[in-house]
Amino acid sequence: MKKQSPINIITKKAQIDTRLNPIKFEGYDGPDTDVEWTLKNNGHSVQVTLKGNIAIKEGNLPNTYKAIQFHYHWGTESDPGAEHTIDGEQYPMELHIVHQNEKYNSLADALKHSDGLAVLGFLFVESPERNSNINDLINALKLVPHSGNSTQLKSFPLNKIILDQKKLDKYYRYDGSLTTPDCNEAVIWTVFAEPIPISRSQLNAFPKTLFFSDSKPMALNFRPVQKLNGRTVFVSDSAVRSLSAAGLSVVLAVWTSILFN
């Protein structure tokens, strides 16, 4: 297999693709309030199975993709656990929102095709302040500590747990795979350039509350980075402009310091 995930994204080698326009998020701002989602400890992560009309399209995706579930990967109380790395840096945690191509009737069918799934990857960065948008989910972890445990969650707007709208047009794109067995090479990956802030206590809630199927604390539940094998990683023009502006700001700050000190 030549298109495995996750990967290390080398920002300087990412190629600008002007077709990577902003992704259109449908239903992310508020699903049917009568719908309940299932939160489950599946033995290797905590997963929320989604219901309702939630989908993504555009952003050079070949079709509309319906959201089916989301889950997290994390480390320990002292070690990071995101799956994708950026220029070799591993972030504390990563959120994956999995979407299925609407032209396929089932997940099993979608997994047979290279365009079967579109997964959105969001990285987290430690912050001194708590992220109130993820509190309800973290509080529900204690209801599913052991493998096989599940509970019902009242649905909520998915845009609460991701980046602000203005930051969603900055992302990387590549062809890859699922990061759990059978690691099907059926995923169009979108990894967002900016991380989501979360406090250390919130990060620690995952390894301290959840347990693997063998009853050991659920920690370091990430797959190591895989070889790129000649694949191209693309980057949206918005992300490049943002990174360039950040670099220019640093240069200006340095020169200002030199000139006036």
Side-chain angles (χ1 to χ4, degrees), residues 36-182:
E36 286 191 326
W37 297 338
T38 301
L39 173 70
K40 182 176 182 178
N41 179 330
N42 59 19
H44 55 83
S45 182
V46 61
Q47 177 176 302
V48 176
T49 301
L50 301 169
K51 294 181 180 178
N53 297 316
I54 310 170
I56 57 172
K57 62 182 181 180
E58 300 182 15
N60 201 36
L61 292 170
N63 199 17
T64 297
Y65 286 74
K66 182 177 181 179
I68 56 175
Q69 56 104 330
F70 69 86
H71 61 272
Y72 294 85
H73 298 271
W74 59 87
T76 68
E77 293 182 50
S78 57
D79 299 306
E83 295 207 304
H84 289 91
T85 58
I86 307 292
D87 294 326
E89 179 182 359
Q90 185 178 25
Y91 286 76
M93 188 166 75
E94 186 168 342
L95 162 65
H96 292 161
I97 307 181
V98 182
H99 304 73
Q100 178 184 315
N101 193 325
E102 285 192 341
K103 75 178 182 180
Y104 301 119
N105 294 323
S106 67
L107 177 59
D109 189 18
L111 289 173
K112 299 174 184 176
H113 304 274
S114 60
D115 64 348
L117 301 177
V119 181
L120 306 182
F122 295 89
L123 301 168
F124 287 79
V125 65
E126 186 175 341
S127 167
E129 298 180 0
R130 293 175 64 84
N131 183 337
S132 60
N133 292 328
I134 200 175
N135 273 343
D136 290 345
L137 183 66
I138 289 177
N139 289 336
L141 296 180
K142 61 181 179 290
L143 302 175
V144 294
H146 303 291
S147 179
N149 290 165
S150 65
T151 189
Q152 296 303 112
L153 284 182
K154 183 179 179 181
S155 61
F156 56 85
L158 273 185
N159 63 8
K160 276 185 61 177
I161 63 169
I162 61 174
L163 291 165
D164 295 337
Q165 181 69 40
K166 62 182 180 294
K167 298 179 180 178
L168 290 170
D169 58 350
K170 304 166 187 174
Y171 60 88
Y172 299 94
R173 169 70 53 77
Y174 78 99
D175 294 331
S177 74
L178 295 178
T179 63
T180 54
D182 297 321

